[in-house]
Amino acid sequence: MPKKRWIEKRITDPYYVRSKREGYSSRAAFKLEEMKKFHVFRGARVIIDLCSSPGSWIEVLTRETDAEFILGIDLKKIRVGESEHVHFLQGDVTDETLIPQILEKLPRLADLVLSDCSQKTSGVKATDHARQMFLAECSLEIALNCLRPGGIFVTKVFQGDLLQDFVSRLKDSFFSVKRFKPRASLKSSAEMYVLGFGKKAVRS
Ligand SMILES: C[S@@+](CC[C@H](N)C(=O)[O-])C[C@H]1O[C@@H](n2cnc3c(N)ncnc32)[C@H](O)[C@@H]1O
């Protein structure tokens, strides 16, 4: 798409306009806002937000939850400042040494682990799908180690061959699993979210 058309499309996008009006760092805020209907915020006091930059999900969480401890993690620094409740760890979700670093920061196991990871797409559907599913797998591994029994996990995925197997494995570790495509997620994009409710104490 030519640059001029891309910019026009973006600045007239209703979610982009709303994000500016409502003071969010990005339009991604509305994807999380829509998930409120699944009660993902209920009882969420300790929250991990993987791939949190620029920080609009953290902004939603500070506005909409009673969270005492939000830990944002990303390769890039977040734009929202750290505070008594908001903490940040610069790191790579694919790095196995991240899990002990997270556990060291948390006051206790998390009630909610969110993951909105994405990287630059190549345009090759199968490659982009596989790369996205790897980020989702790494996020799941973090959730399995850092979430309390009964906790909730939300992750971005791309539709494609590997999704069904990922969902099946999520079912081993969570009592119920849901797929969800928010309205704010572009129809043309393969992006959607998978939600795992009620982490099992022991994998089945
Ligand atoms: C769509 S943005 C997240 C938007 C965020 N939820 C918000 O509301 O502002 C995707 C983020 O994933 C991060 N990311 C991609 N790969 C990562 C990795 N391996 N480890 C940590 N962060 C990563 C990028 O740096 C980028 O900030």
Side-chain angles (χ1 to χ4, degrees):
M1 186 187 296
K3 195 173 169 192
K4 196 167 163 225
R5 239 192 87 212
W6 185 89
I7 294 171
E8 261 169 28
K9 214 175 152 196
R10 193 178 158 87
I11 60 176
T12 53
D13 168 72
Y15 289 104
Y16 174 80
V17 174
R18 245 183 93 190
S19 67
K20 293 287 152 211
R21 198 175 56 225
E22 296 181 29
Y24 284 119
S25 294
S26 88
R27 67 191 293 294
F30 302 107
K31 300 176 190 172
L32 182 60
E33 273 216 331
E34 234 185 298
M35 293 185 217
K36 273 192 314 194
K37 65 181 174 200
F38 303 121
H39 309 292
V40 291
F41 297 156
R42 191 178 282 164
R45 300 274 190 277
V46 175
I47 304 172
I48 301 172
D49 183 24
L50 300 171
C51 301
S52 52
S53 187
S56 66
W57 281 24
I58 292 179
E59 289 160 344
V60 172
L61 295 169
T62 41
R63 291 182 200 186
E64 310 256 353
T65 70
D66 297 322
E68 294 150 12
F69 192 97
I70 301 168
L71 178 61
I73 296 165
D74 201 292
L75 295 167
K76 293 182 283 189
K77 287 214 166 111
I78 45 171
R79 275 190 227 145
V80 291
E82 289 188 67
S83 66
E84 190 191 340
H85 301 301
V86 177
H87 305 263
F88 179 69
L89 183 60
Q90 196 158 9
D92 182 339
V93 299
T94 67
D95 174 1
E96 283 166 16
T97 68
L98 186 65
I99 292 173
Q101 293 177 56
I102 297 174
L103 290 170
E104 200 180 309
K105 281 233 169 209
L106 291 181
R108 61 169 172 80
L109 290 177
D111 304 303
L112 173 63
V113 174
L114 302 170
S115 172
D116 193 25
C117 300
S118 58
Q119 50 201 10
K120 219 166 177 257
T121 49
S122 68
V124 181
K125 219 172 149 188
T127 308
D128 292 336
H129 168 60
R131 285 186 184 159
Q132 185 63 38
M133 294 313 295
F134 179 59
L135 291 173
E137 292 285 356
C138 295
S139 300
L140 173 60
E141 196 52 34
I142 293 171
L144 293 178
N145 282 279
C146 301
L147 202 53
R148 69 164 171 81
I152 296 175
F153 172 56
V154 174
T155 187
K156 171 143 76 192
V157 293
F158 278 1
Q159 293 165 59
D161 303 353
L162 304 170
L163 181 57
Q164 187 50 49
D165 180 53
F166 180 73
V167 168
S168 303
R169 277 180 301 103
L170 218 64
K171 285 180 180 165
D172 294 339
S173 302
F174 291 85
F175 284 106
S176 91
V177 175
K178 185 167 188 59
R179 299 172 197 216
F180 175 60
K181 172 109 177 151
R183 283 193 299 266
S185 178
L186 299 174
K187 281 203 183 79
S188 55
S189 158
E191 167 191 285
M192 65 183 301
Y193 292 81
V194 176
L195 293 76
F197 297 93
K199 187 190 147 205
K200 295 176 185 171
V202 184
R203 284 185 213 192
S204 59

